[in-house]
Amino acid sequence: MKKKYTVSKAIALGILTVDASCTYIVLYFCYMSICRQFAGTLPYLTTLIGALQASTAVVLTAYFGKSRAENTRGGITYDAALGGDETC
């Protein structure tokens, strides 16, 4: 039986996939610009990686916030109800 993902999980997995693939592509472009001694593009390429990481952070923050809200009932989290919320 095929596992069905929620829309929010599909979006989170999609943004992680896009972020990882684009980061590798941009790192390859950085490698090529260094090999061809065209280092003038490096600041622009590294900015692109930062922008991708920022968008990933926004999407994952929203996803984990939604997940935390779904695992709460009556102000008690799922882990606390099971006894897994131990403080040291």
Side-chain angles (χ1 to χ4, degrees), residues 20-77:
S21 62
C22 288
T23 299
Y24 287 124
I25 291 169
V26 170
L27 286 175
Y28 176 72
F29 287 155
C30 289
Y31 170 75
M32 291 301 294
S33 68
I34 291 170
C35 287
R36 301 194 185 265
Q37 297 178 358
F38 192 68
T41 60
L42 288 176
Y44 303 109
L45 291 172
T46 56
T47 301
L48 181 59
I49 291 175
L52 289 168
Q53 298 294 319
S55 65
T56 302
V58 169
V59 169
L60 291 181
T61 300
Y63 174 74
F64 288 125
K66 179 183 176 287
S67 177
R68 181 181 46 205
E70 287 176 347
N71 292 329
T72 303
R73 180 175 292 167
I76 299 172
T77 62

Side-chain angles (χ1 to χ4, degrees), residues 1 6 9 27 34 45 57 79:
M1 185 169 172
T6 61
K9 188 177 283 190
L27 286 175
I34 291 170
L45 291 172
D79 292 335

